[in-house]
Amino acid sequence: MRRLTYVLTEIGAHVWLKVAVVGMTTLVIMSSIQFFQAYDRYLEHTQALTENFGSASSIRFVDISAESISSKDILAVIDEGQALFGDDVYYYLQGGDFFAEADAFVYSEGPLAIENQFGQSLVQPQIVIMNQALVEKADFRLANGRQLEERDFAGSGNGILLGAHYREGYQIGDDFLLQTFVEISEAGQVMTAERTYQVKGFLTEAHSLLNFWQGRTEEILLDEMIVIPLTEDLVQSDSDNLSVQIMGFFYMLSAKEEEALNYLDLAEAVKEIGARHGYSYLAFSNDRSIFDFEINMYRSLYQNQLFLLLLLLVFATVQTGMIVHFSFKKRQSVYAAYIGMGSTKAEIFTVISLHYLLLFAVAWALLYMSEQLFIKENWLSRQVAWGTLFYLTFYGLTVLTILINHCFPGRKLGKLLQMRKGGEVG
């Protein structure tokens, strides 16, 4: 009974040590991947912001009125704003007045559909509507076709760009039918008018773009997007919904120009512009403060993740080193017996190293299954690769350092073997 208890205790201790290595390794690999994920996100947003803005600021107008507002002369508001903030202005429509037939080849914003006066079921496609300056600044990358040109923005131009996924259903030169909102009839029916566009080009696969035109730092994927030029007839629409919320615009200022602004005086001047054109509470905001806040947030996230990773790394290195050390000490007499039977130190070193490499692989597989079933963070392949290799380097150095110290310390195992042989002779 004592022998059985001893054997079970030895097996339990051995298993527990291996479980501890696997568990801690899994935790550190996950933390390492999350660090690279956070750092990757910080770099993406910082680089995208630098490419589009550098150190510049963007000033946009907002109407903070809660009342129902009527049609406004947006172009007049933009022109008067240029006297305050300069001529570098970009504007766009939010796209809420555009629809497509539900059974057409189109990627919609969601499953919600409406019915127009002709009984057609309509959905809202994913679109961006920009003026020429904003399209040029966005610098869309094309797989084929041509960029939108000046003639596409004049009058009732009809050229559009489509995201990469639309290549399955359209070709360059094909017509693309959209419905534009006209009004709601007295009977409560949605009235729309059909408008035909022509496909001029397709964006490259997985083309993403910083959503700077809405004052945000997150990137949006354009594979299912329709890029429509903001033509003169769209700008001069009589829609009752045309307001600074629907037609957004912003002015670009250099850092030096922004520093020279007198915000109190400008607030009064913008309010007066609004009053002249029907806006009760027209104000302005500087997107730079929003951008800087978000970038600082992403920086803090990756720095906090780095701090956590370093703590786990120290603890895991100490834990793994101690387990490798005590496991080797526990089996030192067994290894000496193997040497006595003809095995070399190099062979024992290799077998033990592969054993701990296998434990690392088990930990990685456990993390992979956990991510697929529970965590579901959608890590990118490069983040997984960098995170795994980062900890594998520390893990490998720890294991190899301890094993080299034990397997090739001079002649410790040799002396132990000689003592055992001497005892047998005696």
Side-chain angles (χ1 to χ4, degrees), residues 58-78:
S58 59
I59 303 293
R60 70 181 63 239
F61 285 5
V62 292
D63 180 31
I64 58 178
S65 171
E67 65 186 36
S68 177
I69 54 179
S70 60
S71 180
K72 308 296 192 303
D73 187 353
I74 300 294
L75 292 181
V77 173
I78 292 175

Side-chain angles (χ1 to χ4, degrees), residues 315-332:
F315 184 79
T317 300
V318 173
Q319 182 208 54
T320 302
M322 292 178 64
I323 289 175
V324 174
H325 170 74
F326 286 115
S327 295
F328 189 93
K329 284 289 187 181
K330 190 72 176 177
R331 295 177 58 82
Q332 193 169 19

